[in-house]
């Protein structure tokens, strides 16, 4: 079971950029599909972006063109680069990893991003 740790959440003004990080506990993490989710106040969890190998997909229309997912295998890490942040991006951001056989799913504890003027 891979353990995940998210970090990088912060209080940010609208229009600014911020990167959040998801670090896996071993290099096997680099083989797994990693997905960023978010849950804002009073909202359901949203599917944000995923990366499988080096192939990335942004699922959430509200962040397309603003958010990018990428990984650094040397650091066993997946990042979510967020630009042009909006108040509605305020949420706890969670990462999830899924093993190659889809039998193991791991979640991090989340990192809070607050976008406020």
């Amino acid at each position: 079971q891979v353990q995940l740790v998210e970090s990088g959440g912060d209080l940010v003004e609208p229009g600014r950029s911020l990167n959040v990080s998801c670090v896996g506990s071993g290099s096997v993490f680099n083989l797994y599909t990693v997905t960023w989710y978010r849950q804002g106040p009073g909202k359901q969890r949203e599917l944000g972006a995923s990366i499988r190998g080096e192939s990335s997909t942004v699922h959430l229309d509200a962040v397309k063109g603003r958010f990018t997912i990428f990984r650094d295998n040397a650091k066993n890490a997946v990042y979510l680069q967020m630009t042009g942040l909006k108040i509605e991006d305020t949420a706890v951001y969670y990462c999830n990893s899924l093993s190659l056989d889809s039998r193991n799913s791991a979640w991090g504890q989340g990192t809070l991003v607050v976008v406020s003027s």
Side-chain angles (χ1 to χ4, degrees):
Q1 175 84 334
V2 170
Q3 295 179 328
L4 307 179
V5 178
E6 299 105 328
S7 63
D10 205 353
L11 172 64
V12 186
E13 294 180 346
R16 294 289 197 130
S17 298
L18 185 69
N19 292 348
V20 291
S21 170
C22 176
V23 177
S25 59
S27 61
V28 69
F29 172 77
N30 298 326
L31 302 176
Y32 292 179
T33 299
V34 176
T35 301
W36 282 100
Y37 296 82
R38 71 182 188 182
Q39 188 165 23
K43 300 178 180 179
Q44 295 190 37
R45 187 178 64 195
E46 296 177 302
L47 174 62
S50 298
I51 187 164
R52 183 179 65 186
E54 300 296 332
S55 179
S56 63
T57 303
V58 178
H59 306 281
L60 187 60
D61 288 342
V63 305
K64 286 181 178 177
R66 297 190 296 117
F67 288 14
T68 302
I69 187 170
F70 63 98
R71 72 197 316 157
D72 184 345
N73 288 342
K75 297 181 178 180
N76 300 334
V78 170
Y79 303 92
L80 185 66
Q81 183 181 56
M82 302 178 288
T83 63
L85 284 164
K86 303 176 179 180
I87 292 174
E88 52 263 41
D89 295 321
T90 296
V92 177
Y93 285 74
Y94 300 92
C95 67
N96 169 270
S97 70
L98 187 66
S99 61
L100 291 170
D101 61 5
S102 299
R103 291 182 179 269
N104 297 105
S105 176
W107 289 90
Q109 294 298 310
T111 187
L112 176 63
V113 175
V114 176
V115 184
S116 177
S117 60

